[in-house]
Amino acid sequence: MDQLRNMGFSDNLAAQALSATGGNSPTKAIEWILNQPPSNDTKIDVVSTPPPASAPKASPRSSQPKLHRFFTRPLQNDDVPIPSPSPTPTPPQNDDVSTSSKKRPKPSPPPPPLSERMRPRTLDDVVGQDHLLAAKSSLLRSAVNRGRLPSLILWGPPGSGKTSIARAILGSLSISAFRFVALSAVTSGVKDVRDAVDEARREKSKTKTTTLLFVDEVHRFNKAQQDSFLPIIEDGSVVFVGATTENPSFHLTTPLLSRCRLLLLHPLPPHHLASLLRRAADDPLNGLRISVGSPVSVDDDAVRFISENCDGDARVALNALEIASVAAAASAARRDAADVVVVALEDAKEALQCKHLAYDRDGEEHYNLISALHKSMRGSDANAGIYWLARMLEGGEQPLYIARRLIRFASEDVGLADPLALNQAVACYQACHFLGMPECNVILAQCVAYLALAPKSIAIYRAIGAAQKAVKESDGQNEGVPLHLRNAPTKLMKEIGYGKDYIYTPNNPTAFQSYLPSSLEGCKFLDWPNSGSDEPPLDRC
């Protein structure tokens, strides 16, 4: 019954066919239906325009549905009919058919992000990094003009223009003997690197074309993957351009660094970010007009707010501007009389939500900030110390890590000048462990201020350093403990001289005895009380 109903026959006709044929074979039921005189129940085709009166009358069999419409192969006994993939019959084109039944056009895909559309095509379009691009005699400018580009490592924070400069180099080359290949160490593996290397060698041998191989996030490649670039850099098959946000000294191999020129990129200052935002707002081909679908005007306050709250990241700034313009376009109140979308300060604040902080707990900025905090306290600047502490906390640093560094500072830089500083630092660590963030922020700030304002002494730090140096360099030949300082718990040890001539100091407070090995007699490691000299008390033996 379900098979016949799905083929378009009415329930009444299907029941009659099954009853007449015994209900065991859908094939017999269909044949029974097709042999019946035409009626309303047997017609399943869509009603079409009636033929003219002069046309010959169709036979009863001609109005019945064709069996092949329902099957892709001849039916066998007890087979399940399979609907034909033929298209649905075209409905009648009547004048009263609503336009909503017409096929709607497919929506066009969204455009690429604004930060991608606004990438510079040539080096002249690059905004910022004046120390690399401003002078015509700079390394990049002169190399591009002569077509003799060296292999490069571009090191800079996110959004500083590493990828944009790499692509702009190819657009600025005056010769066409270069081809551009881009890899990302985030998504590429050993096979991708090997394929790129083999293709570069083939192109070099066949067409004399040099491959400009750009590898983004190159620090994510392991040592073996980085070393695979060495031969093709040396023989000139590729011009290698790597981009990294991490310190190359720690994350790139020495052989790769020796074959490349390291260029340092800085975060973009606010006035350069403002230029980029204005360019995006005014560009009719790739700018905000593409994102919104209508002309866009950006207030100066919105440009200033975004450029000052992105920490020099051009990608963050452009993406925030695009989000702000889309939000403004959705509000009728943000359109002027000429139907121009106006992006105001409120839209920029809503798009950015909070200030973007450049901080990586495992990266370069982590060590830069903790160094700034340490040096500010060493210089007795409590104000600067609290600022750097706030930068670390807002960046997501673990408070216990900061507390451990404060404990170290209490002994290294304050030391004996204020012995209570160590108690303060240890109490700060315990309190941070009990409370956690955000409640422990005040405790950390109190400890930072105390240590910054405390008197400083590095006598202990110098003393332990001098003693360790003497041990490592065997200044005293690392001879054994003098016999009079050794303990003698047994009779045999007393007989061989352990503890002999030892003076018990509480009974003889004025008596003199030496506590250093004979080879170090007279050496002084700790200079206390502090003589005020900046020279360490080393080599005083």
Side-chain angles (χ1 to χ4, degrees), residues 250-262:
F250 304 130
H251 295 274
L252 298 184
T253 62
T254 303
L256 182 61
L257 287 176
S258 69
R259 290 164 174 80
C260 301
R261 180 67 183 271
L262 179 63

Side-chain angles (χ1 to χ4, degrees), residues 389-402:
L389 171 67
R391 282 278 299 270
M392 297 186 73
L393 292 178
E394 290 299 318
E397 184 56 75
Q398 294 293 332
L400 292 183
Y401 168 78
I402 303 175

Side-chain angles (χ1 to χ4, degrees), residues 118-127 133 140-141 144 149 154 161-174 180 212 214 241 279:
M118 294 304 299
R119 287 195 185 278
R121 271 54 177 180
T122 63
L123 290 177
D124 293 333
D125 299 332
V126 177
V127 176
L133 302 173
L140 280 181
R141 294 281 187 184
V144 168
L149 190 68
L154 303 177
K162 300 182 293 296
T163 304
S164 297
I165 289 179
R167 294 183 180 275
I169 287 174
L170 187 67
S172 301
L173 289 171
S174 57
F180 186 84
L212 180 62
F214 173 70
V241 179
R279 177 190 293 181

Side-chain angles (χ1 to χ4, degrees), residues 133-203:
L133 302 173
K136 294 183 179 180
S137 59
S138 63
L139 170 67
L140 280 181
R141 294 281 187 184
S142 57
V144 168
N145 293 337
R146 298 294 299 273
R148 300 289 296 177
L149 190 68
S151 293
L152 304 171
I153 297 293
L154 303 177
W155 174 31
S160 57
K162 300 182 293 296
T163 304
S164 297
I165 289 179
R167 294 183 180 275
I169 287 174
L170 187 67
S172 301
L173 289 171
S174 57
I175 59 177
S176 59
F178 287 88
R179 55 187 290 267
F180 186 84
V181 176
L183 292 179
S184 175
V186 178
T187 57
S188 301
V190 177
K191 184 179 182 302
D192 302 302
V193 174
R194 188 182 298 113
D195 293 343
V197 170
D198 294 341
E199 182 66 21
R201 283 175 171 163
R202 285 193 297 267
E203 291 293 332

Side-chain angles (χ1 to χ4, degrees), residues 361-391:
R361 289 192 299 174
D362 298 324
E364 181 78 10
E365 200 63 17
H366 162 82
Y367 298 102
N368 291 340
L369 288 181
I370 193 63
S371 177
L373 172 61
H374 197 122
K375 290 179 173 62
S376 298
M377 293 188 299
R378 179 180 294 162
S380 300
D381 192 337
N383 184 62
I386 292 177
Y387 168 76
W388 295 119
L389 171 67
R391 282 278 299 270

Side-chain angles (χ1 to χ4, degrees), residues 458-459 461-463 466-467 523-528 531 533-541:
I458 59 172
Y461 175 71
R462 286 176 173 173
C523 287
K524 184 178 181 182
F525 300 106
L526 175 63
D527 186 14
W528 188 261
S531 62
S533 173
D534 293 334
E535 296 296 329
L538 302 179
D539 302 329
R540 296 190 179 183
C541 298

Side-chain angles (χ1 to χ4, degrees), residues 69-137:
R69 292 186 61 229
F70 306 100
F71 307 102
T72 58
R73 62 181 176 86
L75 280 175
Q76 307 296 329
N77 291 339
D78 301 330
D79 274 353
V80 178
I82 303 176
S84 171
S86 58
T88 305
T90 306
Q93 302 295 328
N94 298 331
D95 294 338
D96 57 348
V97 177
S98 62
T99 58
S100 62
S101 63
K102 296 181 180 179
K103 187 177 180 180
R104 296 180 179 178
K106 293 182 180 180
S108 58
L114 179 63
S115 57
E116 183 65 25
R117 301 198 307 267
M118 294 304 299
R119 287 195 185 278
R121 271 54 177 180
T122 63
L123 290 177
D124 293 333
D125 299 332
V126 177
V127 176
Q129 311 306 336
D130 293 340
H131 63 291
L132 298 177
L133 302 173
K136 294 183 179 180
S137 59

